[in-house]
Amino acid sequence: MTRSDDDPAGRPIVLRGGTVLTVDAARRVLTGHDVLVVDDRIAAVGVDLVVPDGAVEIDAAGGIVMPGMIDTHRHMWQTAMRGYGADWTLTQYFVWYYLESGKLFRPEDVHAGNVLGAIEAIDAGVTTTVDWSHGLQTTQHADAAVDALQSVPGRFVLAYGNIQDAPANWTGAPEFRDFVSRRIAGDDMLGFQIAFDVTGDPAFPEKPAFEVARDLGAAVTTHAGVWGATGDDGIRLMHDHGFMTPETVYVHSATLSADSYHRIAATGGSVSVSTESEQSAGQGYPPTWAIRAHGIPVSLSMDTTVWWSGDLFSAMRSTLGADRSREHMEAHAKGETVTHSSLRAEQVVEWATRGGPARWAASPTSAASRSGRRPTSCLSGTSTRP
Ligand SMILES: [Zn+2]
């Protein structure tokens, strides 16, 4: 790739002659096409585009121009410990973060992890990352998290969480409401979700937290279907109480029954699949092979770089491999041979670039975010969802 000038800031950018993956509804692939970006929007896609004076020219011949990728579940505060848990199981992760060391993180530690995590995401072409931020023990931690996200170009969604306290407690605190009104207000580049898990306790202690989310118009994202932690009981409780919505994101969903998948499909929710995490940590077998059959929207995620990279190409490759492995194994158990893989590569690219909720309740007051405006970067071609 060559640039016509070293300082492209603020200037139109044209990528010349690339193979453009539009990831539109028809999944068009355009060879030898140009993509023109003006300000932060794609202005034109075509052949031999006439571009404004001063546009930065990038030779994309022989390369792929594709939408920025979306990671719907990444614990960015943990990037401060990048690679530390390479050989962990989920149990070791829980002991380290939930029981022993997670509570030692100060606001400046969360800030450091989020800055590093945000740069890592953008560097890997992930232009939208959901920061599943469950280390926010105080709103000072949350302010530090947002300060970090806003210091790096890119679109982020703060999924506010706190594993050191019950969801009903921290979502009910006045300072939490104050934080939301102070920091989450109409910024197209900063969305908002509420992040907590549902234990399956028949008393449903998470109910007040769901009510706060509904009050704020914020989506809930929840680790659901995690071996030994969350399962069908939590899904049933959410469904019985009317808290399963099209905006709800179910992370992993690797140990759920068909009944739970039916409830997710019927209420329009989506599943964030973290294949590398599920394969190595032990949440359950990566579930795309099962949830595809239920028509549930899928997005991809890296979970945490305490084990893995921040590179969604890894997620695409591992998801394709895990799905096909399972399809072969299921067939072999019946004495059959798979001659044509059900899951196609282009489907996985779609999951990585526009998968997940059809409409994000990005923030309580962000009409711009909900209107579907998308960020672009100089290497992200077409608009993406969200
Ligand atoms: Zn997670």
Side-chain angles (χ1 to χ4, degrees):
M1 229 174 244
T2 57
R3 289 172 187 269
S4 57
D5 192 279
D6 288 337
D7 182 19
R11 294 162 54 187
I13 295 170
V14 62
L15 298 103
R16 293 285 193 194
T19 298
V20 180
L21 308 189
T22 64
V23 198
D24 62 8
R27 295 178 176 170
R28 288 177 305 149
V29 176
L30 309 171
T31 55
H33 271 59
D34 306 339
V35 176
L36 173 66
V37 179
V38 178
D39 297 326
D40 60 352
R41 294 290 181 268
I42 294 163
V45 177
V47 177
D48 296 330
L49 287 178
V50 176
V51 301
D53 288 344
V56 177
E57 301 258 349
I58 296 176
D59 179 7
I64 289 174
V65 182
M66 62 182 283
M69 290 170 279
I70 299 170
D71 185 319
T72 52
H73 155 241
R74 188 180 299 193
H75 307 293
M76 294 173 74
W77 63 290
Q78 298 175 352
T79 313
M81 300 300 293
R82 195 175 189 280
Y84 181 71
D87 293 320
W88 276 354
T89 61
L90 195 60
T91 302
Q92 289 166 301
Y93 167 86
F94 282 149
V95 169
W96 204 89
Y97 275 108
Y98 284 56
L99 300 179
E100 293 179 347
S101 303
K103 61 172 76 76
L104 302 178
F105 277 62
R106 303 161 299 174
E108 53 264 51
D109 301 320
V110 170
H111 186 273
N114 269 26
V115 169
L116 184 58
I119 293 170
E120 178 178 47
I122 293 298
D123 185 53
V126 181
T127 50
T128 299
T129 306
V130 175
D131 177 22
W132 221 102
S133 193
H134 56 358
L136 305 181
Q137 302 172 67
T138 69
T139 51
Q140 287 74 50
H141 289 74
D143 279 316
V146 168
D147 288 345
L149 297 180
Q150 290 182 328
S151 73
V152 176
R155 186 165 192 252
F156 300 97
V157 177
L158 180 74
Y160 193 121
N162 176 8
I163 50 176
Q164 303 299 335
D165 196 8
N169 289 345
W170 59 262
T171 57
E175 58 268 28
F176 171 72
R177 291 276 189 155
D178 175 62
F179 168 83
V180 174
S181 58
R182 278 191 297 110
R183 301 304 299 266
I184 310 295
D187 180 353
D188 187 28
M189 301 302 278
L190 180 71
F192 185 69
Q193 298 177 341
I194 298 182
F196 59 87
D197 296 342
V198 181
T199 62
D201 177 344
F204 197 35
E206 299 85 8
K207 186 181 178 193
F210 279 106
E211 289 169 339
V212 169
R214 189 161 59 191
D215 248 25
L216 292 171
V220 170
T221 176
T222 186
H223 293 109
V226 174
W227 178 259
T230 59
D232 292 321
D233 289 344
I235 296 291
R236 188 176 39 75
L237 285 162
M238 288 174 65
H239 193 244
D240 288 351
H241 288 83
F243 292 120
M244 292 177 74
T245 74
E247 291 77 30
T248 310
V249 178
Y250 306 86
V251 176
H252 301 308
S253 304
T255 59
L256 297 178
S257 66
D259 178 73
S260 287
Y261 291 143
H262 284 308
R263 291 174 197 255
I264 293 171
T267 51
S270 64
V271 171
S272 174
V273 176
S274 315
T275 300
E276 283 188 271
S277 180
E278 289 134 20
Q279 286 184 314
S280 185
Q283 293 91 342
Y285 198 89
T288 56
W289 66 282
I291 57 182
R292 283 193 286 112
H294 294 274
I296 297 170
V298 173
S299 62
L300 302 184
S301 55
M302 295 310 302
D303 200 349
T304 169
T305 56
V306 77
W307 268 282
W308 305 285
S309 77
D311 171 15
L312 273 186
F313 284 98
S314 297
M316 286 191 273
R317 280 190 289 268
S318 60
T319 300
L320 202 60
D323 192 292
R324 289 175 175 174
S325 286
R326 190 64 180 242
E327 186 174 30
H328 288 300
M329 290 177 66
E330 297 284 325
H332 297 177
K334 293 184 286 188
E336 298 171 354
T337 301
V338 176
T339 58
H340 186 85
S341 294
S342 298
L343 182 59
R344 315 303 289 177
E346 65 180 6
Q347 176 68 69
V348 178
V349 172
E350 186 173 302
W351 286 345
T353 52
R354 54 179 298 190
R359 181 186 72 80
W360 288 56
S363 76
T365 54
S366 176
S369 295
R370 282 196 288 266
S371 74
R373 292 174 58 211
R374 314 291 183 222
T376 61
S377 76
C378 68
L379 291 178
S380 70
T382 57
S383 66
T384 61
R385 182 180 59 158

